[in-house]
Amino acid sequence: MVLACSSCLSFGAAITADLSAVKAGPIAVVSSDGSLAVRWQAGGGRQWEADFALDSAKPLITAITVDGRRIVERANPVYRCSTGKRRGGWDAFFDFPPAHPEGTRSFLQEFHPMRAVARTVGDRVEVSFDGMKLGIFAGSLRYTFYPGSALIEQAAVLTTQEPDTAYYYDAGLQMTASEDRRPGGNMASRITYFDAEGQRQMVTPQYGSERHPVAVRYRAVAAQAGAGSIVAFAAPHRYFFARDYTTNLGYVWYTSWRGQMGLGIRQLPDDNSPYYPWMNAPPGTEQEMGLFLMPGTGDASETLQNVLAYTHRDRFPHLDGFVTFAPHWHLAYTEQAIAKGLDWQPPFKAVMEGLGLDSAMIMDFHGDGHPSDLGAIRPRELEEYYRACRAQSGKKFLLIPAEEANVILGGHWALVFPKPVYWYMDRKPDQPFESAEAKYGKLYRVHTPAEVWRMVTAEGGYVYQTHPRTKGSTGYPDKIRETDYFRDARFLGTGWKEMPSDLSSPRLGERAFKILDDMNNWGLHKRTIGEVDVFQLDTNHELYAHMNVNYLRLAELPDFDHYGRLLDALAKGDGFISTGEIVLPRATIAPGRGDSIHVETEIDYTFPLRLGEIVWGDGKETHRQTIDLQSTHEFGHSGFAWDADAPGWTWARLAVWDVAGDGAFTNPTWREAPKVSSSAAGGLEATVPSRRAF
């Protein structure tokens, strides 16, 4: 790897620099004597400088300094990727590129820059070098600098023209560490990270050229470097494609050998499961293969702590007047509770509470238990399920029982009741739809969509389509869009999750947004629900990368006997969905003057923001107005008022995204209040106001 990276800059050509797009501001760019320098202030007025060599025979980064003291010197980017072929379209989850008859290919970078372009974007500065090639991808290498912050983003911005391309990439920075060199080519580098259990570790790598992968918490690895330290870390959510299992496979790496030290991030070809969908690269799109770097003046532990603040140490922040709620977990809890007793503390509970979750809605009997049983087993398992969820619920944490079914209604769908309900997912011809049982009370047996909906209506339940248009819901809810039950208000809508991944988009979860917007353009009033959709987990898993939560407006967390209050808040769309780095303490979407939309919002955020967007539909098409937020600084609280001309708008929603792809967004607000069917009136307001504020 070291030889490959050093040879990639061995051609010795001069690199021309274009600074014409740089504007006066907090970040200055100058070019002279074969170098390009970026200068800015951060951290109590300290003067930072990044110097790039304009000679391709030299390392790209001459130095990164603070107050004239070198932290990084003579450094080169490191990139490698593997590519394969998609089958079944861009939204396919049950896809494993290595199983394609054409196989996969792996590539190391070729980097021969001839031209550098610096430009001001908002009050940030981007410096891009052409000549980056990564197998079937080609494009540029870009560094982005942010005022008031030592944060630096390194991104290979690459395009391929090959159809059906799936890929994953590794990225890093290889730098000179002469001070760490010892006799015999040995090194005394000090690498620091938090292990998968959250304990801080500092190691000195053994002799060898290998990249050492390590399973860490917070997706970050740090090292002492020069007059300070540096951390390499992945975007919290954007770098990770959806998985059923969140086992920590080791997503960072380090090297230390013969005077060189490297830090970086990595993906893997598979996790020993048959489905590992990789990332998408539609032809002609610019894939932003990013890596974040954080140099610091303190030791590696101190700089690492600064990085953890971007994700609140992987915890969803508390927001007064809201509770955090995350549905769709397949934990097989009931089977374990039966075997181990209700006093047993399942490992998932500590994980959820550590993430800042107030409430979770789990979905047992999905690969476990006996959901198709028509005898005595099914109601007995349901009874144990309800008892187990009650046992794990209290004043500070609520565990709600639900199920994800794959029968009768079409695709996969989640069903939750506001109280324990006993039901079978089918019935024999001679069995009644409803009966009274001495032990369980009312017991339902459903065989048709109409019978399912009779039960849902009678018991005040709610339904939503899980992972729409992918996995087991491929083709849904489109195939049921005209059914009475789907059009009913108790069919809330669909789930939202970052699935699949496409790094050409500044936002996550494009598939789920597309179906949300389509449903409302069909004339329905549907919502999306942030969902997780993972299986059993433990404290050492990489879960946060796969997480999002629903912030629901509730004065307090209800107890287990009244968890229907939380479900009613969910049904009203009273709140927002977040990946954790951005929260919306207040947002109002309302009709403006004439045919316009007026938005007012407060935004708390950690990473610098990238954009806001007002998205609306006119009953036929979806439109958006993008608001440039590239003059915001990290760790901010800002208020905004925006207006969008939106001829014929019928619904609108708000979304905000940061430079790492993290986001927060609201559900649609409708210009006219939705009419709630009489069958869905229980637990729902008769109308929803066209002006939503929270």
Side-chain angles (χ1 to χ4, degrees):
M1 176 64 74
V2 175
L3 294 175
C5 292
S6 60
S7 66
C8 70
L9 292 169
S10 62
F11 285 74
I15 302 171
T16 62
D18 180 356
L19 278 58
S20 61
V22 176
K23 301 176 182 178
I27 303 181
V29 185
V30 296
S31 177
S32 63
D33 300 326
S35 70
L36 185 153
V38 180
R39 297 168 182 162
W40 75 105
Q41 287 189 345
R46 293 181 181 275
Q47 185 65 46
W48 288 85
E49 183 169 320
D51 293 297
F52 296 93
L54 296 179
D55 181 345
S56 61
K58 298 179 179 180
L60 179 65
I61 300 175
T62 303
I64 299 175
T65 64
V66 56
D67 295 335
R69 294 174 297 153
R70 291 194 173 196
I71 294 177
V72 174
E73 60 180 329
R74 299 193 300 278
N76 282 320
V78 175
Y79 277 90
R80 61 196 303 166
C81 80
S82 293
T83 65
K85 288 292 186 182
R86 265 282 171 258
R87 286 181 285 188
W90 301 116
D91 290 342
F93 177 85
F94 297 131
D95 187 16
F96 188 46
H100 193 283
E102 294 186 22
T104 63
R105 295 175 286 178
S106 296
F107 306 100
L108 289 174
Q109 72 191 44
E110 296 178 52
F111 187 35
H112 310 304
M114 299 293 291
R115 185 169 182 260
V117 177
R119 66 175 187 141
T120 302
V121 181
D123 62 2
R124 304 160 191 176
V125 163
E126 296 177 353
V127 180
S128 298
F129 297 85
D130 68 354
M132 172 64 84
K133 186 176 180 182
L134 194 57
I136 64 173
F137 291 97
S140 61
L141 180 72
R142 183 184 72 202
Y143 289 89
T144 305
F145 302 87
Y146 304 92
S149 174
L151 183 69
I152 301 170
E153 183 182 10
Q154 172 186 293
V157 185
L158 306 177
T159 298
T160 183
Q161 299 302 327
E162 290 201 10
D164 305 318
T165 296
Y167 76 99
Y168 67 91
Y169 75 93
D170 300 359
L173 189 70
Q174 193 88 17
M175 65 203 87
T176 301
S178 301
E179 67 277 9
D180 293 346
R181 189 161 187 165
R182 299 294 184 269
N186 295 305
M187 299 287 285
S189 300
R190 289 167 291 170
I191 307 298
T192 302
Y193 54 85
F194 287 91
D195 66 23
E197 292 286 356
Q199 300 300 310
R200 186 174 64 88
Q201 304 290 341
M202 187 175 74
V203 300
T204 297
Q206 296 180 346
Y207 177 80
S209 63
E210 298 87 354
R211 292 197 311 167
H212 299 277
V214 59
V216 305
R217 185 163 291 184
Y218 311 117
R219 304 154 303 280
V221 60
Q224 296 299 123
S229 55
I230 186 169
V231 180
F233 63 104
H237 306 278
R238 196 182 192 207
Y239 183 60
F240 298 86
F241 38 84
R243 295 171 54 212
D244 281 344
Y245 302 94
T246 57
T247 309
N248 194 326
L249 302 178
Y251 297 110
V252 303
W253 58 266
Y254 61 85
T255 65
S256 183
W257 188 52
R258 293 184 180 177
Q260 295 281 315
M261 179 175 63
L263 302 174
I265 60 176
R266 69 166 197 163
Q267 284 281 12
L268 288 85
D270 72 89
D271 62 355
N272 199 33
S273 66
Y275 311 115
Y276 209 67
W278 295 16
M279 298 175 182
N280 289 334
T285 58
E286 288 190 337
Q287 298 294 311
E288 298 178 350
M289 303 182 193
L291 163 75
F292 285 101
L293 303 168
M294 172 69 81
T297 57
D299 62 20
S301 294
E302 180 182 336
T303 307
L304 193 56
Q305 291 289 348
N306 294 338
V307 168
L308 305 191
Y310 287 109
T311 62
H312 309 284
R313 298 183 69 93
D314 284 10
R315 184 178 178 88
F316 292 91
H318 172 76
L319 193 59
D320 287 344
F322 293 84
V323 300
T324 53
F325 168 70
H328 202 160
W329 309 76
H330 298 304
L331 304 174
Y333 173 43
T334 304
E335 284 190 348
Q336 298 175 80
I338 291 172
K340 300 181 180 183
L342 296 181
D343 292 334
W344 173 68
Q345 292 293 307
F348 66 78
K349 185 177 181 181
V351 176
M352 291 176 175
E353 291 180 318
L355 286 168
L357 295 187
D358 299 317
S359 178
M361 187 168 81
I362 65 174
M363 299 177 183
D364 272 14
F365 315 132
H366 195 76
D368 56 286
H370 303 82
S372 60
D373 174 68
L374 298 181
I377 298 176
R378 166 73 173 169
R380 185 167 63 247
E381 286 185 338
L382 285 173
E383 180 183 37
E384 295 294 340
Y385 189 20
Y386 300 140
R387 292 180 64 220
C389 287
R390 178 186 292 276
Q392 299 305 327
S393 298
K395 293 182 179 180
K396 295 183 178 180
F397 183 75
L398 175 62
L399 193 64
I400 298 176
E403 290 189 78
E404 183 183 26
N406 57 3
V407 296
I408 304 176
L409 296 187
H412 286 204
W413 45 281
L415 170 60
V416 60
F417 297 103
K419 60 183 179 180
V421 172
Y422 295 88
W423 66 291
Y424 289 99
M425 294 189 184
D426 202 354
R427 62 182 173 86
K428 299 176 181 178
D430 60 343
Q431 291 180 315
F433 162 70
E434 178 184 333
S435 63
E437 303 289 335
K439 185 175 183 180
Y440 305 111
K442 190 181 298 184
L443 196 151
Y444 295 94
R445 299 175 178 85
V446 296
H447 180 68
T448 66
E451 291 178 344
V452 171
W453 220 249
R454 283 174 60 193
M455 175 183 65
V456 169
T457 301
E459 298 295 343
Y462 295 110
V463 170
Y464 78 89
Q465 191 95 61
T466 53
H467 44 74
R469 293 180 178 169
T470 191
K471 298 185 79 173
S473 294
T474 300
Y476 292 92
D478 305 72
K479 293 179 180 179
I480 60 173
R481 60 179 282 188
E482 298 301 331
T483 62
D484 289 340
Y485 61 86
F486 179 69
R487 303 178 77 84
D488 191 286
R490 288 201 172 273
F491 202 120
L492 301 181
T494 53
W496 183 90
K497 183 178 179 176
E498 181 200 358
M499 182 170 59
S501 301
D502 182 345
L503 299 185
S504 68
S505 172
R507 61 188 69 83
L508 306 177
E510 294 275 17
R511 166 197 54 87
F513 282 128
K514 179 67 165 58
I515 180 57
L516 173 64
D517 298 345
D518 285 350
M519 289 188 299
N520 285 280
N521 278 332
W522 295 342
L524 305 176
H525 295 88
K526 298 297 183 184
R527 299 176 175 86
T528 195
I529 297 166
E531 62 178 358
V532 183
D533 194 7
V534 298
F535 286 70
Q536 293 190 60
L537 53 93
D538 208 332
T539 54
N540 59 10
H541 279 211
E542 177 49 75
L543 178 60
Y544 184 79
H546 302 275
M547 283 288 298
N548 64 81
V549 300
N550 303 271
Y551 278 82
L552 302 179
R553 187 177 183 85
L554 281 171
E556 61 182 4
L557 183 70
D559 61 20
F560 186 82
D561 289 323
H562 300 91
Y563 67 75
R565 295 172 184 171
L566 185 149
L567 301 177
D568 290 343
L570 180 71
K572 296 172 187 175
D574 198 359
F576 61 93
I577 297 166
S578 172
T579 59
E581 299 74 18
I582 303 173
V583 295
L584 305 175
R586 185 179 66 87
T588 300
I589 303 173
R593 292 184 178 180
D595 226 8
S596 68
I597 301 166
H598 181 70
V599 172
E600 295 183 9
T601 185
E602 294 178 13
I603 309 171
D604 289 341
Y605 50 94
T606 58
F607 286 94
L609 298 178
R610 183 170 184 173
L611 61 92
E613 53 186 357
I614 304 171
V615 184
W616 73 90
D618 57 14
K620 296 180 180 178
E621 297 181 349
T622 300
H623 311 269
R624 61 173 27 94
Q625 177 171 304
T626 299
I627 300 98
D628 189 337
L629 297 177
Q630 296 184 106
S631 293
T632 56
H633 298 178
E634 64 182 15
F635 300 107
H637 174 92
S638 300
F640 298 95
W642 300 318
D643 291 281
D645 292 327
W649 74 279
T650 58
W651 59 267
R653 58 180 178 84
L654 168 68
V656 182
W657 304 97
D658 69 22
V659 298
D662 314 308
F665 55 90
T666 71
N667 265 295
T669 292
W670 298 280
R671 193 171 189 175
E672 296 182 359
K675 305 301 181 183
V676 178
S677 66
S678 58
S679 67
L684 283 176
E685 294 179 349
T687 61
V688 177
S690 59
R691 177 185 179 91
R692 176 178 299 148
F694 52 85

